[in-house]
Amino acid sequence: MESDAASATAPSASQSTRPRLWSLPGWRVGFPASLVSRLGDFVFDITVVLWISTEIAPGRSWTPAAVSGVLIAAAAPVLFVGPLAGAYTDRYDRRRVLLVSNTVQAAAVGSLLLVPPLSSTLGLIGQLSWIYCAVMVTNAAGQFFMTARSVMIAATIPEQLRNQAFAEQGAANRTLAIIGPPLAAPLMFTAGVDWALGINALSFLVATWLLARVRWESEPNPATAELGLAESMRQGARVVLRTPVLLAIGMAIVIAMIGAAALNVLEVFFVTNALHQRASMLGILSMCDAVGMVLGSLAAPRLALRWPAGQLIAIGLLVSGVTLIAYSRCTTLPPALVFYALIGVPVGMINVLISPLWMKSVAPELLGRSLAWLNAVSTAANLVSMAAAGWLVSTVLRGLDVHFAGARFRPVDSVFTAAGVMFIVGGLVVFPILRREEAPG
């Protein structure tokens, strides 16, 4: 907890944070590099889905399964390569890992430029296989890149500036999430898939060029470098399981991923069945969510000047749960838009505060490994939750229509309500853990 004197000077500290942050060479280069790469990712994700569904396999009965294959190819490396990438990153020069992994991503995406001219030779299966392999290689290299970039942030940005750094990065990413997808479809249908793929490959090369200009202490700890790969991975898992703060953060992320997965899978059905709107209104809801997350991201550093980050994360879970339950009870669009934006505010705040708190709670030589395990567990929770949400609505809850305490419960809104209750329970569980661990002395 901060002293009264520190609290009294908090506004001026906040005002000076931005110029101090932008005076750091690592941030001045790393921030635009991340933006360029992220925008390329948004364009690429939409391009691949549209490419498969409209050009490679249009109108086939199995086209949805072919598109789902892209999602599986993207998620598999997080589960199976992520822990390996974390151990490798902690054992080798992190700057080199950062640059090589970004170059591999550029090469994997660039290789897809060969698919259209070779389409007649490759055939349908060959084209899909090439795309899936490229997506897997890109995301596998991305695991190395993300862990190395986290180490770079910890090494180049002082602890007191990290909340502001992640706030600006989070707000920018959410803005790109609004801008990127609408750009992807017109770009592909007017300029062609080659241009869309080329832009994404170029974005990786530009990011690599920018990051190569930053020099930082990237050599690994000598003791860590001498460890075997298997032991290095085990150390990463042990530090997560034996550190209460990390366990609490992991629980918070898993709960958030479960709620997000339920919304992503079932949202379109909630819009059409509960809100009685066209499916196209889902885009307006997504925009409201993005606005809320931007506001939450930007508010997080100021809130963290006054309250401990761990307690804010727990409170964010509680608020998210209450607003998600309120959203699940909506039957008309206007209140749904308001509550959907309100859900985004605490989620945006949580996203900003988690990484700096994690970096503060783990030794630098264990950062890559511990983060990799966290990403793997959260991705697994996301995949399981998406499958469970669809299965519950299609089987166990199918035909549910119950009135209780003046409210009507049907399959989709019941899943949303249950997700909201999970947020609240999670907040109540992690609050005392994080409060105790962050207590002074």
Side-chain angles (χ1 to χ4, degrees), residues 11 23 29 58 113 116 143 170 179 284 309 325 352 410:
S23 69
V29 173
L113 293 170
Q143 297 308 298
I179 298 172
I284 304 298
I325 292 173
V352 167
R410 289 176 292 184

Side-chain angles (χ1 to χ4, degrees), residues 74-395:
V78 182
L79 296 175
F80 302 111
V81 180
L84 176 67
Y88 186 94
T89 301
D90 280 343
R91 297 171 72 245
Y92 294 92
D93 186 287
R94 276 70 68 91
R95 182 174 179 273
R96 184 175 299 174
V97 172
L98 192 74
L99 300 179
V100 170
S101 60
N102 227 22
T103 304
V104 170
Q105 289 178 297
V109 174
S111 75
L112 292 174
L113 293 170
L114 298 174
V115 173
L118 296 176
S119 58
S120 57
T121 303
L122 293 171
L124 192 57
I125 300 300
Q127 292 179 74
L128 290 175
S129 299
W130 192 324
I131 292 172
Y132 295 155
C133 288
V135 171
M136 289 187 70
V137 170
T138 301
N139 282 273
Q143 297 308 298
F144 289 87
F145 176 82
M146 286 188 293
T147 52
R149 183 174 179 273
S150 295
V151 175
M152 174 185 169
I153 290 173
T156 60
I157 298 178
E159 181 183 325
Q160 66 270 25
L161 297 178
R162 289 176 192 162
N163 283 335
Q164 187 65 30
F166 279 98
E168 295 194 13
Q169 188 71 74
N173 286 344
R174 297 315 304 177
T175 302
L176 290 178
I178 299 173
I179 298 172
L183 291 176
L187 178 64
M188 177 179 164
F189 290 127
T190 57
V193 68
D194 292 347
W195 275 94
L197 294 173
I199 286 175
N200 186 238
L202 181 63
S203 72
F204 284 118
L205 293 177
V206 171
T208 303
W209 175 75
L210 288 170
L211 292 170
R213 301 174 62 192
V214 183
R215 298 286 177 179
W216 49 287
E217 190 62 41
S218 59
E219 290 292 331
N221 182 289
T224 302
E226 293 175 2
L227 287 175
L229 196 60
E231 176 58 26
S232 186
M233 292 172 64
R234 283 194 292 269
Q235 277 193 359
R238 280 198 297 266
V239 73
V240 174
L241 295 174
R242 295 177 181 177
T243 307
V245 171
L246 302 187
L247 273 178
I249 293 173
M251 186 185 304
I253 291 178
V254 167
I255 291 170
M257 294 299 288
I258 289 173
L263 285 171
N264 290 339
V265 171
L266 302 176
E267 192 57 60
V268 65
F269 304 105
F270 186 79
V271 169
T272 55
N273 297 334
L275 302 181
H276 313 292
Q277 301 290 324
R278 299 186 305 275
S280 59
M281 293 305 297
L282 183 59
I284 304 298
L285 278 169
S286 298
M287 187 175 297
C288 290
D289 174 62
V291 170
M293 291 192 71
V294 168
L295 294 176
S297 297
L298 296 177
R302 289 184 175 275
L303 293 173
L305 289 172
R306 292 163 173 79
W307 294 282
Q311 294 181 35
L312 289 173
I313 290 170
I315 292 171
L317 288 176
L318 293 171
V319 175
S320 297
V322 172
T323 50
L324 180 53
I325 292 173
Y327 174 72
S328 73
R329 301 296 95 214
C330 292
T331 56
T332 57
L333 186 61
L337 295 175
V338 173
F339 283 117
Y340 210 66
L342 291 176
I343 292 172
V345 174
V347 172
M349 179 189 69
I350 291 171
N351 287 345
V352 167
L353 298 176
I354 276 180
S355 292
L357 181 58
W358 189 280
M359 291 176 180
K360 177 183 176 182
S361 305
V362 67
E365 63 271 15
L366 291 164
L367 183 57
R369 285 166 282 175
S370 61
L371 279 173
W373 280 111
L374 176 67
N375 290 335
V377 170
S378 62
T379 300
N382 187 50
L383 294 174
V384 171
S385 180
M386 285 194 292
W391 177 76
L392 283 171
V393 169
S394 302
T395 55

Side-chain angles (χ1 to χ4, degrees), residues 1-52:
M1 297 291 289
E2 296 180 276
S3 65
D4 292 340
S7 300
T9 61
S12 61
S14 176
Q15 291 167 4
S16 65
T17 294
R18 184 176 178 86
R20 288 174 58 201
L21 178 63
W22 282 92
S23 69
L24 301 173
W27 181 251
R28 287 202 308 269
V29 173
F31 181 77
S34 177
L35 287 190
V36 169
S37 181
R38 191 68 172 163
L39 181 59
D41 288 343
F42 283 125
V43 173
F44 178 70
D45 292 344
I46 300 297
T47 297
V48 170
V49 170
L50 293 175
W51 187 17
I52 292 175

